[in-house]
Amino acid sequence: MEGAIEELDRRFEIPGIAQVVEGKGGLPKVRITSPEAVGEMYMHGAHVTSWTPAGGEEVLFLSSQTRWEHGHAIRGGIPICFPWFGGKADDPKAPAHGLVRTKAWQLEAIAQVGGAVTVSMFTESDESTKRWWPAEFRLVHRATFGRELSLKLEVTNTGKTSLRFEEALHTYHRVGNIEKVRVGGLDGVHYLDKTDRNQEKTQQGEIVIVSETDRVYLNTRNAIELEDPVLRRRTRVMKENSATTVVWNPCVHKARSLSDLGDDDWMQMICLETSNVSDFVVELAPGQQHTMKGIVRVADS
Ligand code: TA6
């Protein structure tokens, strides 16, 4: 792998700003040290694992027990769920959250944009994906590391038949103490409660985590705000072309059932997921492209 990483670095490096280096488990990653931010993105799943805006603290949570191995999803950062979310409706043997978070993506470009850096990685349908899903597709993940973190997931239907898919940027936010945070912006929005037989309910006010929380907020294009009094920051998540927002915290018992999550890690994380899932699957005609965008911005509170 070493030679291949050096070759990638030779082709894509921006001296002093972005390098391709060997990451954990020997997996290649792009390391960004720009005037506006530092960050990391693994080619394994085109997975952003770190973003720290200049003058700030790390925004993303990364599990201390993550398995850095081919075939395993990284626990933390921003996994990409595609072309289904959760279990595959018609095939319980299929991998959870789809096919691309455990795939080796390819590096398309690294570009400096003012004080920020955009890293673009892509993956396409192949034998490994067609084993589970016959469609032809090309996926590009463009992550811009700057004062804000901007993520674009571009799906192109490269086949001859219509595509139907779910997608999510399954972002793990690092928090000071989960029991103290508040999530605003979803008041009055209907959601499916996955901890209660997918019952449909209505959000009343802000979200407070007091027990296992696993909800799909439906038909919402709202920006949301994560208020964290312990880390004294407010994180705003904005989005485009996304009709659902997933909110997840496993709490103590579910956390213990996840071998790649430290027993108390649940206290330092919350997932806020820009997505199109459940009844809001995306339909794409042959040759068409769809781009979902998520933007994360942090302010002191
Ligand atoms: O996004 C919430 C969720 O779908 C939960 O149901 C939970 O399973 C979580 O994702 C993590 O899934 P994973 O397959 O990464 O263990």
Side-chain angles (χ1 to χ4, degrees), residues 121-140:
M121 296 182 182
F122 72 95
T123 191
E124 291 167 326
S125 44
D126 57 23
E127 265 174 48
S128 73
T129 61
K130 288 180 184 160
R131 186 176 151 217
W132 300 103
W133 196 55
E136 309 263 356
F137 65 87
R138 179 183 163 86
L139 212 50
V140 182

Side-chain angles (χ1 to χ4, degrees), residues 75 85 96-97 101 170 194 214 246 248 254 258 273:
R75 176 68 68 192
F85 185 79
H97 287 323
R101 65 176 179 163
H170 194 303
K194 285 174 82 172
D214 194 352
V246 178
W248 179 58
K254 174 83 186 242
L258 299 170
E273 308 168 32

